[in-house]
């Protein structure tokens, strides 16, 4: 074993998973100077390639040859498949960081021979199977991080003397937490059905008896019995005392409430009026769209959530913010601030007070909360999204929202600011005056809305593809997470902008959408973890929607809604291709070839198997090409004819 064999191993790694990612790894540069490589005494001892864009499956017979390796970090890449068995030959390994990839399969038994391991982080992958008791063999382990995988079953009795960090949260684990691990914090076990220790008593367990108290009843049959047995010991006097205390407490609370209500009602806007206004806004959500603002606003196709832009009597966003302020202590000053991103962070043009005073109307209700249009006294309008079901701990929420706010791109609707308190989470976006693509496509066609021509539709497709491709370019696992036509918004000039990226990362594990969206890729089981390839699938469905004019959740076929990719494929297979297109598009016969090309791309993107789908940037490049050929052809065919407004009649 020498540096030559190390170099060969690294080359093997590069050609398997990093061909385009590791340009500095070439023969004209000495191996020890390659990116991410550190040597000592003529051997490679560290390999650190975090977020390097590695993609694919680690080959076997490669990493195991790095026999002097002490640190291996391949975190935040797009690696798939199992950990190769031969890694066990790298016996000097102390730190192994593989978190945030898509590794799958069981943790190989060979890993448990790496006796020197101190840090093992394989979180945020797709590892499955049970957690092996053989982790006990790694008795120098200080951190063992297994969270957000598909591990199942019970946690074995782990007894690792130097273990400080341990996390198995967000796995399919059940049973009780082994005694030695019960000192770990609650966070280590969230998102599982485990019990015991920081998660509270397991069924059949009794609370530990306080020192000196008479013996408890072992296994007396659960929490209820424990309470029952305590009750028996209370004397009559004590019960009377408690009862009197309770009555007094309730009276005191009532008096306080009464006092507070009176105080608030003297303010300009009474709480009752505001609440009423708020209720009005919310109540309208389940009603038919009123369509005051024409087809540009609202979202008429999402069954049950059809909402026009209905003005609420009072400021609904103000209610949201006021509720936040009131619940968390009354005053709106102090630390209760909007946190800004991008250029606005330098000179914020509005603050929470302005939002509080803004008049608002409900735009619609989505899976993550309700969206409002808020018009401030200055006349500026913003879209405020009031999130529900966020039970992430504050630091995690702030970290994730910072990642969302960091995406600033001309084709992505910018997140300008957010507000976080225990009870309220508000996101502030630019207000997009022409509403969503969903409303544009499926809005009331009868009422003389402008038909969408090929040029507009293909331009929207291109902008959306580029916007999403930009989000993907920010990191190997960065994804939008919820691509659909109501999240493609339009500027005054009908230019498309991608909105709402990253929202699924903000909701906690308790979030469970009621319906499976027609845009969701078949492999997605947890909407909080949507891969880039799953985004491509959703984008494919969006393209199909643009081409067919049909919404994927539209109840055309049956109550369950339309599986657009399957429907299109069945029609295309029967060679009725022309049948799938939106009638409005068919009026433009001269672009039929391009329409078929775009349809082919849509079918490719919505392939069942993720590996068959193109990348988002490939999809964008293909749309660009298709559009170029259609404009070339139109230039030659129309011989100077002005197509603008030239709307062929039926
Ligand atoms: N910045 C914005 N400007 C204008 N309209 C918006 C803006 N953001 C959202 N909307 C519109 O408000 C409505 C509700 O949006 P919201 O994002 O809450 O739900 P959704 O997109 O239907 O579903 P989801 O919650 O899954 O994203 C939609 O019709 C959407 O197009």
């Amino acid at each position: 074993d020498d540096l030559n064999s190390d170099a060969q191993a690294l080359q093997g790694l590069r050609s398997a998973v990093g061909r385009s990612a590791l340009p500095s790894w070439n023969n004209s540069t000495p191996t020890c100077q390659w990116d991410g490589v550190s040597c000592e005494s003529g051997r490679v001892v560290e390999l650190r390639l975090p977020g390097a864009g590695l993609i694919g499956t680690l080959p076997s017979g490669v990493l195991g040859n790095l026999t002097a390796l002490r640190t291996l970090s391949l975190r935040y890449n797009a690696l798939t498949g199992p950990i190769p068995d031969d890694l066990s030959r790298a016996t000097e390994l102390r730190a192994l960081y593989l978190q945030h990839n898509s590794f799958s399969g069981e943790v190989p038994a060979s890993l448990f021979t790496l006796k020197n391991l101190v840090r093992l982080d394989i979180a945020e992958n797709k590892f499955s199977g049970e957690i092996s008791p053989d982790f006990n063999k790694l008795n120098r382990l200080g951190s063992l991080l297994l969270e957000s995988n598909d591990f199942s079953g019970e946690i074995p009795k782990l007894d690792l003397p130097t273990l400080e960090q341990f996390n198995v949260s967000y796995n399919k684990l059940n049973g009780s937490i082994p005694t030695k691990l019960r000192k770990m914090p609650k966070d280590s076990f969230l998102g599982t059905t485990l019990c015991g220790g920081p998660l509270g008593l397991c069924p059949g367990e009794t609370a530990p008896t306080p020192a000196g108290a008479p013996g408890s009843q072992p296994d007396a049959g659960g929490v209820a019995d424990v309470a029952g047995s305590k009750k028996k010991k209370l004397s009559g006097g004590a019960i009377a005392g408690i009862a009197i205390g309770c009555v007094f407490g309730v009276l005191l609370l009532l008096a306080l409430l009464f006092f507070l209500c009176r105080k608030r009602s003297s303010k300009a806007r009474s709480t009752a009026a505001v609440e009423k206004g708020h209720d009005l806004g919310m109540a309208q959500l389940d009603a038919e769209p009123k369509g005051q603002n024409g087809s540009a606003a609202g979202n008429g196709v999402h069954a049950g959530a059809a909402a026009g832009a209905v003005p609420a009597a009072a400021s609904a966003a103000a209610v949201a913010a006021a509720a936040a302020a009131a619940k968390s202590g009354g005053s709106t000053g102090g630390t209760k601030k909007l946190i800004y991103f991008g250029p606005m962070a330098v000179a914020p043009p509005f603050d929470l007070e302005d939002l509080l005073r803004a008049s608002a109307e409900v735009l619609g209700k989505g899976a993550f909360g309700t969206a409002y249009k808020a018009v401030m006294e200055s006349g500026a309008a913003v879209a405020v999204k009031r999130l529900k079901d966020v039970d992430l701990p504050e630091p995690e929420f702030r970290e994730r929202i910072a990642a969302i706010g960091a995406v600033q791109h001309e084709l992505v609707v910018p997140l300008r600011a957010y507000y976080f308190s225990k009870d309220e989470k508000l996101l502030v976006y630019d207000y997009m005056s022409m509403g969503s693509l969903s409303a544009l496509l499926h809005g009331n066609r009868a009422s003389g809305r402008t038909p969408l021509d090929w040029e507009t539709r293909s331009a929207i497709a291109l902008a959306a593809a580029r916007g999403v491709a930009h989000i993907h370019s920010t990191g190997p696992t960065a994804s939008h997470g919820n691509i659909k036509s109501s999240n493609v918004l339009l500027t005054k000039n009908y230019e498309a902008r991608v909105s709402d990226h990253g929202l699924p990362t903000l909701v906690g594990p308790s979030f469970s959408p009621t319906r499976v969206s027609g845009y969701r890729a078949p492999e997605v089981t947890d909407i909080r973890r949507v891969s880039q390839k799953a985004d491509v699938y959703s984008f494919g469905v969006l393209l199909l929607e643009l081409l067919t004019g049909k919404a994927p959740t539209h109840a055309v076929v049956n109550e369950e809604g339309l599986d657009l990719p399957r429907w299109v494929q069945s029609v295309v297979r029967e060679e009725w291709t022309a049948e799938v297109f939106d009638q409005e598009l068919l009026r433009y016969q001269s672009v039929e070839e391009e329409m078929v090309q775009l349809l082919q791309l849509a079918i490719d993107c919505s392939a069942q198997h993720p590996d068959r789908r193109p990348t988002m940037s490939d999809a964008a490049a293909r749309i660009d090409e298709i559009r170029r050929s259609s404009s070339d052809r139109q230039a030659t065919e129309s011989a100077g004819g002005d197509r603008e407004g030239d709307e062929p009649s039926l």
Side-chain angles (χ1 to χ4, degrees):
D1 291 347
D2 57 8
L3 189 57
N4 263 343
S5 69
D6 285 351
Q8 265 175 20
L10 292 176
Q11 288 290 13
L13 181 72
R14 180 183 182 274
S15 59
V17 296
R19 211 180 281 275
S20 57
L22 302 166
S24 76
W25 289 23
N26 56 49
N27 287 333
S28 56
T29 317
T31 308
C32 293
Q33 288 172 25
W34 290 356
D35 281 345
V37 176
S38 309
C39 299
E40 245 175 55
S41 317
R43 293 297 306 278
V44 173
V45 292
E46 282 191 2
L47 180 58
R48 292 180 187 271
L49 298 167
L54 306 181
I55 182 161
T57 302
L58 290 177
S60 42
V62 166
L63 288 172
N65 290 346
L66 299 168
T67 49
L69 200 62
R70 292 204 296 261
T71 301
L72 176 60
S73 168
L74 302 174
R75 65 198 163 99
Y76 286 90
N77 281 293
L79 296 168
T80 48
I83 301 179
D85 258 332
D86 70 298
L87 186 65
S88 59
R89 294 184 48 223
T91 50
E92 297 298 311
L93 212 55
R94 280 166 181 59
L96 180 56
Y97 302 108
L98 301 177
Q99 67 267 38
H100 279 272
N101 278 284
S102 295
F103 284 111
S104 56
E106 300 200 0
V107 174
S110 58
L111 194 90
F112 304 118
T113 61
L114 291 170
K115 297 270 189 304
N116 286 315
L117 268 187
V118 177
R119 313 236 169 269
L120 178 59
D121 189 343
I122 56 170
E124 306 263 357
N125 277 290
K126 292 177 185 150
F127 287 109
S128 55
E130 300 205 347
I131 297 176
S132 169
D134 287 347
F135 276 105
N136 278 324
K137 294 184 181 162
L138 305 175
N139 59 8
R140 294 183 59 190
L141 269 189
S143 13
L144 176 57
L145 303 174
L146 308 175
E147 67 264 30
S148 298
N149 276 291
D150 290 327
F151 288 115
S152 54
E154 301 196 7
I155 308 180
K157 288 200 174 60
L158 293 184
D159 185 7
L160 294 160
T162 50
L163 194 68
E164 281 174 2
Q165 269 189 310
F166 177 74
N167 200 329
V168 289
S169 55
Y170 307 115
N171 278 292
K172 297 176 193 131
L173 297 172
N174 52 40
S176 77
I177 300 172
T179 332
K180 301 268 181 187
L181 296 170
R182 290 191 171 189
K183 61 179 190 299
M184 295 293 167
K186 200 174 173 183
D187 284 0
S188 305
F189 307 103
L190 294 178
T192 64
T193 51
L194 289 162
C195 64
L199 300 181
L201 294 179
C202 292
E205 262 181 1
T206 50
T209 341
S216 66
Q217 303 172 335
D219 288 322
V223 183
D225 280 353
V226 173
S229 68
K230 267 187 189 158
K231 222 176 182 176
K232 262 183 238 158
K233 286 180 200 116
L234 290 175
S235 69
I239 293 173
I242 291 172
I244 293 170
C246 284
V247 171
F248 256 107
V250 169
L251 279 177
L252 208 73
L253 255 175
L254 279 175
L256 206 76
L257 265 176
F258 180 70
F259 175 73
L260 274 177
C261 285
R262 278 186 58 119
K263 208 172 154 199
R264 300 203 82 203
S265 65
S266 67
K267 291 193 176 166
R269 211 177 276 163
S270 82
T271 313
V274 173
E275 297 270 283
K276 208 170 155 202
H278 181 214
D279 282 342
L280 184 69
M282 296 301 206
Q284 294 287 6
L285 288 175
D286 295 324
E288 282 297 299
K290 296 280 186 291
Q292 278 104 324
N293 289 13
S295 60
N299 181 3
V301 288
H302 293 266
V310 184
S315 157
V319 174
K327 277 184 200 159
S328 49
S331 109
T332 52
T335 55
K336 289 167 197 70
K337 282 202 195 109
L338 289 174
I339 315 279
Y340 298 87
F341 295 112
M344 272 199 190
V346 187
F350 54 86
D351 57 20
L352 188 61
E353 290 285 321
D354 296 320
L355 266 193
L356 276 167
R357 283 193 295 265
S359 69
E361 62 188 54
V362 176
L363 288 169
K365 198 174 175 185
F368 304 102
T370 305
Y372 304 91
K373 175 187 179 187
V375 182
M376 287 171 286
E377 277 167 4
S378 66
V382 288
V384 177
K385 188 159 283 187
R386 185 183 185 195
L387 296 180
K388 59 169 191 184
D389 289 336
V390 177
D391 48 12
L392 277 187
E394 183 170 346
E396 241 174 307
F397 181 88
R398 294 208 190 272
E399 192 183 305
R400 293 186 189 178
I401 197 126
I404 295 173
V407 176
Q408 299 277 332
H409 186 263
E410 54 180 1
L411 296 174
V412 179
V413 179
L415 174 62
R416 296 299 189 187
Y418 75 96
Y419 170 83
F420 181 96
S421 77
K422 192 169 147 288
D423 304 300
E424 276 302 338
K425 283 97 199 158
L426 305 175
L427 308 185
V428 183
Y429 292 91
D430 278 1
Y431 175 70
M432 304 291 287
S433 55
M434 299 308 284
S436 71
L437 173 63
S438 170
L440 193 67
L441 273 178
H442 315 294
N444 196 348
R445 290 191 171 201
S447 69
R449 97 193 204 301
T450 325
L452 278 173
D453 62 7
W454 163 258
E455 169 58 29
T456 313
R457 289 187 205 219
S458 61
I460 290 172
L462 181 59
R466 285 182 171 159
V468 179
H470 171 77
I471 294 168
H472 287 187
S473 74
T474 60
T477 54
S479 67
H480 179 286
N482 193 19
I483 296 170
K484 54 182 188 172
S485 60
S486 67
N487 285 339
V488 172
L489 303 179
L490 300 154
T491 66
K492 274 194 229 80
N493 304 325
Y494 286 103
E495 287 161 3
R497 302 280 185 270
V498 178
S499 88
D500 276 8
H501 69 282
L503 291 197
T505 66
L506 295 178
V507 294
S510 62
F511 178 86
S512 61
T514 41
R515 280 173 304 150
V516 174
S517 136
Y519 298 89
R520 193 197 298 180
E523 76 276 11
V524 173
T525 49
D526 178 352
I527 67 121
R528 290 172 297 139
R529 302 180 63 202
V530 170
S531 67
Q532 297 189 344
K533 287 286 169 147
D535 268 356
V536 173
Y537 180 94
S538 311
F539 179 76
V541 179
L542 182 100
L543 282 183
L544 292 176
E545 188 177 357
L546 263 170
L547 288 168
T548 62
K550 290 182 169 55
T553 47
H554 205 176
V556 169
V557 174
N558 54 43
E559 296 279 292
E560 293 286 283
L562 178 66
D563 183 336
L564 203 45
R566 204 168 287 171
W567 177 73
V568 167
Q569 266 159 20
S570 67
V571 177
V572 172
R573 216 176 299 123
E574 309 265 331
E575 302 200 9
W576 296 337
T577 305
E579 304 275 315
V580 305
F581 292 113
D582 190 344
Q583 287 302 308
E584 277 182 11
L585 263 175
L586 281 179
R587 299 187 210 170
Y588 304 95
Q589 288 298 325
S590 68
V591 288
E592 198 174 350
E593 204 176 309
E594 285 76 19
M595 279 162 42
V596 173
Q597 284 171 9
L598 194 62
L599 183 69
Q600 188 54 55
L601 174 63
I603 291 172
D604 291 351
C605 289
S606 54
Q608 290 290 303
H609 200 285
D611 293 345
R612 298 243 168 87
R613 300 172 202 151
T615 65
M616 209 59 225
S617 58
D618 284 346
R622 273 173 66 182
I623 300 172
D624 193 25
E625 225 167 83
I626 295 169
R627 272 174 55 80
R628 274 172 214 271
S629 66
S630 66
S631 60
D632 286 354
R633 187 209 305 256
Q634 271 165 17
T636 45
E637 275 178 17
S638 69
D642 182 8
R643 283 189 63 252
E644 196 79 12
D646 177 18
E647 181 75 15
S649 56
L650 278 172

